[in-house]
Amino acid sequence: MSEVWKKYQEENKERFLNEMMDLLRIPSISAKSENKADMKQCAEAVKAALLASGCDKAEVMETGGHPAVYGEKIIDPSKPTVLVYGHYDVQPVEPLELWNTPPFEPTIKDGKVFARGSADDKGQFYMHVKALETMVNTDTMATNIKFIIEGEEEVGSPNLGAFVAAHKDLLKADVILISDSSLLSMENPSLDTGVRGLSYIEVEVTAAARDLHSGTYGGAVANPIVILSKMIASCHDENNHITIPGFYDDVLEVSAEERELINKAPFNEQEYKDEIGIKELYGEKGFTTYERTGIRPTLELNGIWGGYTGEGAKTVLPAKATAKISARLVPNQTSEKITKLLLEHFRKIAPSCVEVNAFEHHGGEPYGTPIDSKGYQSASRALETTFGKTPIPVKGGGSIPICSVLEKELGIKIIFMGFGLDNDGLHSPNEKYNIENYYKGIETIPYFHKYFGE
Amino acid sequence: MSEVWKKYQEENKERFLNEMMDLLRIPSISAKSENKADMKQCAEAVKAALLASGCDKAEVMETGGHPAVYGEKIIDPSKPTVLVYGHYDVQPVEPLELWNTPPFEPTIKDGKVFARGSADDKGQFYMHVKALETMVNTDTMATNIKFIIEGEEEVGSPNLGAFVAAHKDLLKADVILISDSSLLSMENPSLDTGVRGLSYIEVEVTAAARDLHSGTYGGAVANPIVILSKMIASCHDENNHITIPGFYDDVLEVSAEERELINKAPFNEQEYKDEIGIKELYGEKGFTTYERTGIRPTLELNGIWGGYTGEGAKTVLPAKATAKISARLVPNQTSEKITKLLLEHFRKIAPSCVEVNAFEHHGGEPYGTPIDSKGYQSASRALETTFGKTPIPVKGGGSIPICSVLEKELGIKIIFMGFGLDNDGLHSPNEKYNIENYYKGIETIPYFHKYFGE
């Protein structure tokens, strides 16, 4: 089969790229009301592309927010069905002055397409559209394929859960396939086996009714910044282990075998440090960097403020200090339980001289894909076929709250088969997607369907 | 003499008030360049008032910044000379919407004059001008009197040191008298016997070259907010004693007698807590509230910021976090030594995973007036005469950096004889000065000169 696909893709290469770039020209920024018409236009363009690429039917569907696009190609109801999830919306482009070329005028340079949405996620979900076309036009479909391409991923998918719940039959499938993540590198292909969950809270510590003069009252009144600092400082011990009672209770013990596998991924300490400009690796004692971001929960301070933060000096004894605090969660922690634990902990450890107002922002569940599942094995074999190397299973450190929603509503597992690279600049100026990666995705995806259909 | 003064002041009461209010109408905000002409106009008005009230000469003098006003009434070079220090500049008035009446349209309500500068310091230094008039016009001068009324107190008196150094002969005197502080209350008259010094630094902790995604990197990279919080938390022990080695080395041990005297000042805990809206008293173990703000040094956090501080949630692992930290100093600590100690301490306790940029903002020396000095005793007797009660010596918690400069350049002691109240709202909207206090000051001041001249 590989020769048929290769030939078809080689012949249509240029068109595949041009079509993807046409999609990138539509400023489908979901966060901005001024782009509402662009969102509609983009959804229609996705629908048209699905139909032109071989879907039997495709539809722009209302969700309560920006529409989602559904499409399907059913070859035989008795065969396995793969549901491809993607999103056609993109992040805002500010600061515009940092872009070398306009974000919605895709520009090719050094084998890369520079444009907002090139890697996240238009370029990546469009690989699935072109893989479908390849299989349909070479008459080599091995599975039924459904598409759900939403328009609100970059604003937290507020309507997707209800949409999926309302369309369970339509979306019924055997596995969900998502290309919205990265490879370790082209030399070291990898597959994400999970994402971490999230609990995110805000803690406000108030010591007085108003800002006070630090001379008149300093020494005789509690300083909320000092109090909050002590509260924060108490949450990690000298081994960077989180000290909040019960925090680790539900953490799934990862087997020695799986830890060995995780640490097989090549890791160049100097490159890692240089890339983000840190002096030293840092984290929980007894775990490697990949383990720290993959299989261990965290407690991070995302923001803090209080008192005078302007230029120069002001001798104020602030009335209050506030922190944004979040935890990344791993199986089998749940966002609800950890959020409650954090809120109660910060209320409890506050000394009686202050008032604490602690509340939740949002959360998401951790998600894991078993590597012995058919879906994972199919993806692994597909990458092995096109890269000539078994992909390394890696744990993603981030959070994709919709994963647990999709699994819960549809009762099936998610396979993360991303073809991006960590330096694609997602959400940043000069986002790009390497053309080589785009083609590699289109080449690889049919093999996934082939193996999953076996 | 008291009858003569009383009669004169009673007859001129209304004019005394109106003149002071006229001065309040000039928006002499030293911090704002747009008020430069107002500053000049105000200086000229002060000069005119000094001449009209009995000074032999008065002059608006250049300082390199806003001008200072000098005036003098020399009755006999062999008699003691009192140098009155005050300032005609005022704080900015923002937020304007919180003022009940326009800040530069003095308004009388409930026996109080509401206006910016009413208590700080126009209304207070003008008492000395009207006391001079009283003595001159009743031919009862007991001392020579000099005035130095500056225009840059609210911006840190950047030019006063050089000005005083350049005019030592002109300003030569036996004591400096300042009314720019408060009484405990009208029922409990008091005299400040000192001010604390100040060291003020900023500490910036950098962990990475840029803000990172808290999912991708969380757990594997040092969080600068956590690091800074741990550094801050380590500076006070469980008794709120400062743990920085050497910090207390030069602190003058205050005698049991003096501590007893300090604690004689009436203190109503409930009123204190209600006034500033705190739940509990708080501070260094083993010391009372008056001791904590009067004779003990402090380490306060004046500001902190880092990461995302906007609405909602952002999953950022910040590159840096920053704090503004200041210490109030007591005799015999010096600002230079403590600033150096603080800078070195914060650099030293930072773990090797972060870079620390610590630098100084500004400082000032602590200042103390001996209560057995002739100046203090004269002030004490003056208040006793008009209040019918010996004033309580109290230690001011704030800092007036010019004190040590004045003492150093002129070699004389400073007497703080303020007639304000803690609720005057200095630097705040709706600043006010009680008319009763204004008249009480004018009544009391001649007695100071009488006793000092004896």
Side-chain angles (χ1 to χ4, degrees):
Chain A
M1 229 172 315
S2 83
E3 286 313 306
V4 188
W5 289 342
K6 206 165 209 170
K7 185 163 175 283
Y8 183 85
Q9 290 173 352
E10 193 57 43
E11 284 168 9
N12 293 282
K13 217 173 153 166
E14 236 166 276
R15 180 174 54 81
F16 283 3
L17 185 59
N18 287 335
E19 284 178 22
M20 185 261 272
M21 285 169 65
D22 282 344
L23 206 59
L24 293 176
R25 286 193 177 87
I26 308 170
S28 52
I29 303 169
S30 50
K32 302 215 165 175
S33 53
E34 69 200 65
N35 295 101
K36 209 180 161 191
D38 301 312
M39 290 298 296
K40 191 76 203 299
Q41 189 203 337
C42 196
E44 293 293 344
V46 172
K47 174 189 161 185
L50 288 171
L51 288 173
S53 304
C55 277
D56 300 326
K57 69 173 199 186
E59 209 179 326
V60 172
M61 298 178 78
E62 293 313 313
T63 65
H66 294 300
V69 186
Y70 173 78
E72 63 173 38
K73 171 74 182 177
I74 308 296
I75 53 162
D76 177 352
S78 71
K79 292 219 173 195
T81 300
V82 176
L83 176 63
V84 174
Y85 165 90
H87 63 93
Y88 68 85
D89 66 322
V90 301
Q91 279 275 320
V93 295
E94 290 79 12
L96 247 181
E97 65 276 15
L98 294 187
W99 285 80
N100 297 326
T101 54
F104 295 111
E105 294 177 21
T107 307
I108 295 176
K109 208 189 149 192
D110 302 331
K112 305 169 177 83
V113 179
F114 288 89
R116 171 58 85 229
S118 54
D120 181 17
D121 179 49
K122 286 174 177 170
Q124 291 219 58
F125 87 72
Y126 207 72
M127 299 182 307
H128 291 271
V129 182
K130 294 299 101 180
L132 171 76
E133 182 192 312
T134 301
M135 293 184 284
V136 168
N137 286 355
T138 56
D139 201 16
T140 50
M141 291 276 289
T143 63
N144 302 306
I145 303 185
K146 294 178 175 179
F147 287 87
I148 181 72
I149 310 298
E150 72 153 321
E152 301 193 305
E153 200 271 348
E154 300 294 5
V155 290
S157 305
N159 297 293
L160 193 70
F163 178 85
V164 172
H167 296 92
K168 278 186 190 178
D169 279 343
L170 184 71
L171 300 172
K172 195 169 182 300
D174 297 287
V175 74
I176 297 166
L177 186 60
I178 304 181
S179 294
D180 195 15
S181 53
S182 299
L183 300 161
L184 283 172
S185 69
M186 289 303 269
E187 298 71 40
N188 296 294
S190 57
L191 284 168
D192 281 5
T193 61
V195 292
R196 291 195 284 191
L198 183 70
S199 285
Y200 200 120
I201 67 165
E202 189 161 319
V203 177
E204 185 190 71
V205 170
T206 303
R210 56 182 165 87
D211 285 358
L212 301 170
H213 191 290
S214 76
T216 313
Y217 294 99
V221 171
N223 186 311
I225 301 177
V226 174
I227 301 286
L228 181 59
S229 293
K230 281 182 182 268
M231 290 165 65
I232 293 167
S234 75
C235 291
H236 289 88
D237 69 15
E238 66 281 11
N239 295 320
N240 293 316
H241 204 71
I242 296 157
T243 58
I244 300 173
F247 187 81
Y248 291 103
D249 278 1
D250 298 328
V251 170
L252 190 74
E253 180 94 27
V254 175
S255 68
E257 292 73 28
E258 193 167 344
R259 288 181 67 178
E260 206 188 313
L261 212 55
I262 287 165
N263 291 312
K264 267 199 179 149
F267 180 72
N268 184 318
E269 182 175 331
Q270 197 55 52
E271 267 177 24
Y272 186 89
K273 291 195 291 190
D274 291 350
E275 157 68 16
I276 55 179
I278 60 171
K279 286 170 73 186
E280 292 174 8
L281 298 179
Y282 187 89
E284 195 181 357
K285 203 173 170 180
F287 294 93
T288 65
T289 292
Y290 282 145
E291 288 171 343
R292 286 166 177 171
T293 59
I295 61 169
R296 297 301 290 172
T298 68
L299 186 74
E300 292 292 352
L301 267 287
N302 305 107
I304 193 166
W305 68 100
Y308 182 66
T309 59
E311 207 183 327
K314 188 179 174 187
T315 50
V316 62
L317 176 54
K320 62 177 70 177
T322 313
K324 292 183 194 277
I325 304 171
S326 67
R328 294 285 169 171
L329 313 179
V330 298
N332 292 323
Q333 293 178 301
T334 67
S335 180
E336 191 187 344
K337 193 168 163 186
I338 294 297
T339 300
K340 193 162 168 272
L341 190 75
L342 293 180
L343 291 172
E344 280 170 6
H345 181 73
F346 282 102
R347 286 174 192 137
K348 196 178 141 194
I349 63 172
S352 56
C353 57
V354 297
E355 293 281 359
V356 167
N357 175 23
F359 60 91
E360 176 183 7
H361 275 301
H362 64 73
E365 303 307 328
Y367 185 82
T369 290
I371 64 173
D372 56 4
S373 64
K374 189 176 175 191
Y376 183 87
Q377 287 302 321
S378 302
S380 183
R381 285 175 66 195
L383 266 74
E384 198 178 334
T385 304
T386 57
F387 284 85
K389 240 184 187 177
T390 308
I392 300 155
V394 300
K395 295 273 182 187
S399 303
I400 311 183
I402 50 136
C403 290
S404 58
V405 175
L406 289 173
E407 173 169 296
K408 187 181 143 227
E409 294 297 343
L410 301 175
I412 51 177
K413 281 287 169 191
I414 295 165
I415 306 303
F416 305 97
M417 193 168 71
F419 291 89
L421 292 174
D422 275 347
N423 66 9
D424 281 341
L426 311 189
H427 301 199
S428 298
N430 304 311
E431 177 182 349
K432 59 88 179 165
Y433 193 34
N434 290 14
I435 297 173
E436 180 190 6
N437 293 48
Y438 178 63
Y439 287 139
K440 200 71 174 180
I442 300 173
E443 183 190 346
T444 306
I445 291 164
Y447 288 100
F448 174 85
H449 294 280
K450 177 176 186 286
Y451 299 136
F452 195 74
E454 280 174 1
Chain B
M1 230 173 312
S2 85
E3 287 312 307
V4 189
W5 290 340
K6 209 166 208 170
K7 184 162 177 282
Y8 184 85
Q9 290 174 354
E10 194 57 40
E11 284 168 8
N12 294 282
K13 217 174 154 169
E14 235 166 278
R15 181 174 52 80
F16 283 3
L17 185 59
N18 287 334
E19 284 178 21
M20 185 260 273
M21 284 169 66
D22 283 343
L23 206 57
L24 294 176
R25 286 194 177 87
I26 307 170
S28 51
I29 304 169
S30 49
K32 304 214 164 175
S33 52
E34 69 201 64
N35 295 101
K36 209 178 160 189
D38 301 312
M39 291 298 297
K40 191 77 203 298
Q41 188 202 337
C42 195
E44 292 293 345
V46 172
K47 174 188 160 184
L50 287 171
L51 289 173
S53 303
C55 276
D56 301 324
K57 71 174 200 185
E59 206 180 326
V60 173
M61 298 178 77
E62 294 312 312
T63 65
H66 294 300
V69 185
Y70 173 79
E72 65 175 37
K73 172 75 181 175
I74 307 295
I75 52 162
D76 177 352
S78 71
K79 291 220 173 193
T81 301
V82 176
L83 175 64
V84 174
Y85 165 90
H87 62 93
Y88 68 84
D89 65 324
V90 300
Q91 279 275 317
V93 294
E94 290 80 11
L96 246 181
E97 66 276 15
L98 294 186
W99 284 80
N100 297 326
T101 53
F104 296 110
E105 293 178 21
T107 307
I108 295 176
K109 208 189 147 191
D110 301 332
K112 304 168 179 84
V113 179
F114 288 89
R116 171 60 84 229
S118 54
D120 181 16
D121 178 49
K122 285 174 177 171
Q124 291 218 58
F125 87 72
Y126 206 72
M127 300 181 307
H128 291 271
V129 182
K130 294 300 102 180
L132 171 77
E133 182 191 312
T134 302
M135 294 183 285
V136 169
N137 287 354
T138 56
D139 202 16
T140 51
M141 291 277 289
T143 64
N144 303 306
I145 303 186
K146 295 180 175 180
F147 288 87
I148 181 71
I149 311 298
E150 74 153 319
E152 300 192 305
E153 199 270 349
E154 300 294 4
V155 291
S157 305
N159 297 293
L160 193 70
F163 178 86
V164 172
H167 298 92
K168 279 186 191 178
D169 280 345
L170 186 71
L171 301 172
K172 196 170 180 298
D174 298 286
V175 74
I176 298 168
L177 186 60
I178 304 183
S179 294
D180 194 15
S181 53
S182 299
L183 300 161
L184 283 173
S185 69
M186 289 303 270
E187 297 71 41
N188 295 294
S190 56
L191 285 168
D192 281 5
T193 60
V195 293
R196 292 194 282 190
L198 183 70
S199 285
Y200 201 122
I201 67 165
E202 188 161 321
V203 176
E204 183 190 71
V205 170
T206 302
R210 55 181 165 89
D211 284 358
L212 301 170
H213 191 290
S214 75
T216 313
Y217 294 100
V221 171
N223 186 310
I225 300 177
V226 174
I227 300 287
L228 181 58
S229 293
K230 282 181 182 270
M231 290 164 65
I232 292 166
S234 75
C235 291
H236 289 89
D237 69 14
E238 66 282 11
N239 295 322
N240 294 316
H241 205 71
I242 297 156
T243 58
I244 300 171
F247 186 82
Y248 291 103
D249 278 3
D250 297 329
V251 170
L252 191 74
E253 181 95 26
V254 175
S255 69
E257 291 72 27
E258 192 166 345
R259 287 182 67 178
E260 207 187 312
L261 211 55
I262 288 166
N263 292 312
K264 266 199 183 151
F267 180 71
N268 184 317
E269 181 175 332
Q270 197 55 50
E271 266 177 25
Y272 186 88
K273 291 196 290 189
D274 290 349
E275 157 69 14
I276 55 178
I278 61 170
K279 287 170 71 185
E280 294 174 8
L281 298 179
Y282 187 90
E284 194 181 358
K285 203 173 170 178
F287 294 93
T288 65
T289 292
Y290 282 145
E291 289 171 344
R292 286 166 176 171
T293 59
I295 60 170
R296 297 299 292 171
T298 67
L299 186 74
E300 292 293 350
L301 266 288
N302 305 106
I304 192 166
W305 69 100
Y308 181 66
T309 60
E311 206 183 327
K314 189 180 172 187
T315 49
V316 63
L317 176 56
K320 63 177 70 175
T322 313
K324 292 184 192 277
I325 304 170
S326 67
R328 295 284 169 173
L329 313 179
V330 298
N332 293 324
Q333 292 179 301
T334 68
S335 179
E336 190 186 346
K337 192 167 164 188
I338 295 296
T339 300
K340 193 162 168 272
L341 190 74
L342 293 180
L343 291 173
E344 280 171 6
H345 181 73
F346 282 101
R347 287 174 191 136
K348 195 178 140 195
I349 63 171
S352 56
C353 58
V354 296
E355 294 281 0
V356 166
N357 176 23
F359 59 92
E360 177 183 8
H361 275 301
H362 63 74
E365 303 307 329
Y367 185 81
T369 290
I371 64 174
D372 56 3
S373 64
K374 188 177 177 192
Y376 183 88
Q377 287 301 323
S378 302
S380 183
R381 285 176 64 196
L383 266 73
E384 198 178 334
T385 306
T386 56
F387 284 84
K389 238 183 188 178
T390 309
I392 300 155
V394 300
K395 294 273 182 187
S399 303
I400 310 182
I402 50 136
C403 290
S404 56
V405 175
L406 289 173
E407 173 167 299
K408 187 180 143 228
E409 295 297 344
L410 302 175
I412 51 178
K413 281 286 169 192
I414 295 165
I415 306 302
F416 304 97
M417 193 168 69
F419 290 89
L421 291 175
D422 274 347
N423 66 9
D424 281 340
L426 311 189
H427 300 200
S428 298
N430 304 310
E431 177 181 349
K432 61 89 181 164
Y433 193 35
N434 291 14
I435 296 172
E436 179 189 8
N437 294 47
Y438 177 63
Y439 287 138
K440 200 74 176 176
I442 299 173
E443 182 189 346
T444 306
I445 291 164
Y447 288 99
F448 174 86
H449 294 278
K450 176 176 188 288
Y451 299 135
F452 196 76
E454 279 173 2

